[in-house]
Amino acid sequence: MKKTILFFLLTCSTIELMACANTFYSVNSEGKAVSWGYGWEVYFYKKFNLEKNASKLKRLEKKLKVEKNYMLLSDYTVSLMKLGKEKEALEILIELYKHYPNDYIIAANLGTAYELNGQVDSALKYIKRDISLNPNDHEGSEWIHVKVLETKLALQKDPAY
């Protein structure tokens, strides 16, 4: 197990990592927001497309003016993070978490926002909260995120770690 973790960390140190985030909605082929609800998995990987994310952000802003929905607001923060607006996303997620402390998606996204804002200790707290609420988040792989955060903290204390 230790060899697997070490291999993962060494491999990841040679590639650019992106933090993970959860969304409540996806967009179908007609461009309509579709609720996946809890437990749905969508398998695909695309590099962040700034134009698409900016467009999605505008659609979410428009929809949020009409529909006050915390899940849409959470998805909005994911778009903010993808566009490099991590501080703004963090401020929103802190408020969302106050109202929805038992929602694993909010906890996970808050942890990611803290990480992107350089607050690794807080990131670790909320990623662990995510796992306690839903051990199967990201198909049970969030323990890897915990190990990455723990390693970042250890490196802050001892650069030779």
Side-chain angles (χ1 to χ4, degrees):
M1 181 64 144
K2 288 183 181 180
K3 287 182 181 181
T4 303
I5 294 170
L6 180 61
F7 173 76
F8 174 77
L9 293 174
L10 290 174
T11 303
C12 290
S13 68
T14 62
I15 60 174
E16 184 179 333
L17 287 178
M18 292 188 166
C20 56
N22 295 308
T23 59
F24 288 95
Y25 294 89
S26 187
V27 178
N28 67 15
S29 60
E30 290 85 39
K32 305 255 185 198
V34 178
S35 174
W36 293 105
Y38 290 94
W40 282 88
E41 298 292 337
V42 181
Y43 299 98
F44 66 93
Y45 174 79
K46 292 184 180 177
K47 292 192 180 221
F48 293 153
N49 180 317
L50 294 180
E51 185 178 305
K52 282 186 178 182
N53 280 300
S55 174
K56 182 176 182 179
L57 188 70
K58 286 181 182 178
R59 285 193 312 272
L60 285 167
E61 286 172 343
K62 186 177 177 182
K63 190 160 184 148
L64 281 165
K65 287 179 183 177
V66 176
E67 181 182 342
K68 304 297 182 204
N69 180 318
Y70 84 97
M71 294 181 283
L72 286 172
L73 189 55
S74 177
D75 290 0
Y76 176 79
T77 66
V78 172
S79 291
L80 287 172
M81 288 187 277
K82 289 180 179 181
L83 291 168
K85 299 178 180 184
E86 300 91 357
K87 186 175 180 182
E88 188 178 341
L90 178 60
E91 291 171 2
I92 294 168
L93 285 162
I94 288 170
E95 289 303 313
L96 274 177
Y97 187 79
K98 288 177 184 176
H99 298 282
Y100 303 97
N102 294 319
D103 190 304
Y104 78 92
I105 291 176
I106 303 297
N109 290 346
L110 180 55
T112 297
Y114 271 120
E115 180 180 11
L116 292 173
N117 278 278
Q119 299 176 44
V120 182
D121 52 346
S122 293
L124 182 59
K125 173 184 173 182
Y126 289 100
I127 296 301
K128 284 183 174 180
R129 175 69 176 148
D130 163 33
I131 293 170
S132 74
L133 293 168
N134 180 7
N136 295 316
D137 190 18
H138 290 282
E139 296 184 20
S141 67
E142 278 290 65
W143 67 271
I144 297 169
H145 198 170
V146 167
K147 294 299 179 190
V148 168
L149 293 170
E150 288 172 345
T151 301
K152 284 182 175 184
L153 285 172
L155 286 167
Q156 286 176 355
K157 292 177 185 173
D158 177 12
Y161 173 78

